[in-house]
Amino acid sequence: MPSPSPVIVANVRRLREARGYSLSALAERAAISKSTLSQLEAGKGNPTIETLWTLANTLGVAFSELLAEGEEGMTVSEPGGGGVQLMVRGQQSPRVEVYLMHLAPGEIKTSRAHPRGVREHVMVVEGTLRVGALHALAVCRPGEEHAFAADVEHRYEALLDTTRLVVSIVYPHDEVAQ
């Protein structure tokens, strides 16, 4: 089983401690098991992208804060073939992060709500994608895009073949810790 990146491990621990959370307190706030968080901080196990995104949201930071302080090019992959790669992280306000995401055929990613005011813009590069807030899902094909409020639960679903997409996440001025 692959281990999480040492950089992700260090960043989760650093951010948790900076906020004064114990392992138990962060696990409870994030609604993940304490053993999952403990294994992550020990550099063991293989946390899902959803787990990492949940931790970022709970810690009040952008997902890129977990990835080598926003180092472009870092990829988080999962055994089923899906993954996300940070392409670029803007330095201005509002903060914009751009990711290349790939989903295996039939793969579904459901994301918890991001902080208030966060929006996502998605453009499909390959495959067919059902995406958006759960109450307003859209189907997109290559070259098509969809924008939605990401401060509610939302989903990415590869409908047919492997699906690749570009995801831009826009954080409002006051919602991401600097």
Side-chain angles (χ1 to χ4, degrees), residues 63-167:
F63 185 71
S64 64
E65 293 287 328
L66 300 182
L67 308 178
E69 299 178 352
E71 179 179 306
E72 285 83 6
M74 178 140 188
T75 301
V76 179
S77 298
E78 294 188 327
V84 63
Q85 178 182 14
L86 176 62
M87 301 303 292
V88 67
R89 177 180 179 206
Q91 299 301 314
Q92 298 173 322
S93 184
R95 163 119 9 116
V96 178
E97 298 174 340
V98 180
Y99 295 89
L100 179 60
M101 181 183 288
H102 56 277
L103 300 170
E107 185 175 2
I108 298 173
K109 296 277 184 210
T110 301
S111 177
R112 293 183 189 176
H114 294 305
R116 186 177 53 87
V118 172
R119 293 194 53 82
E120 293 193 18
H121 303 262
V122 175
M123 178 178 275
V124 175
V125 176
E126 174 185 352
T128 304
L129 179 73
R130 181 178 294 133
V131 64
L134 297 183
H135 67 276
L137 293 167
V139 174
C140 298
R141 291 169 183 77
E144 297 177 344
E145 57 187 272
H146 182 61
F148 57 93
D151 55 3
V152 296
E153 190 172 17
H154 50 284
R155 174 181 301 156
Y156 297 88
E157 179 180 357
L159 294 179
L160 301 171
D161 297 325
T162 297
T163 301
R164 291 186 316 130
L165 53 143
V166 176
V167 180

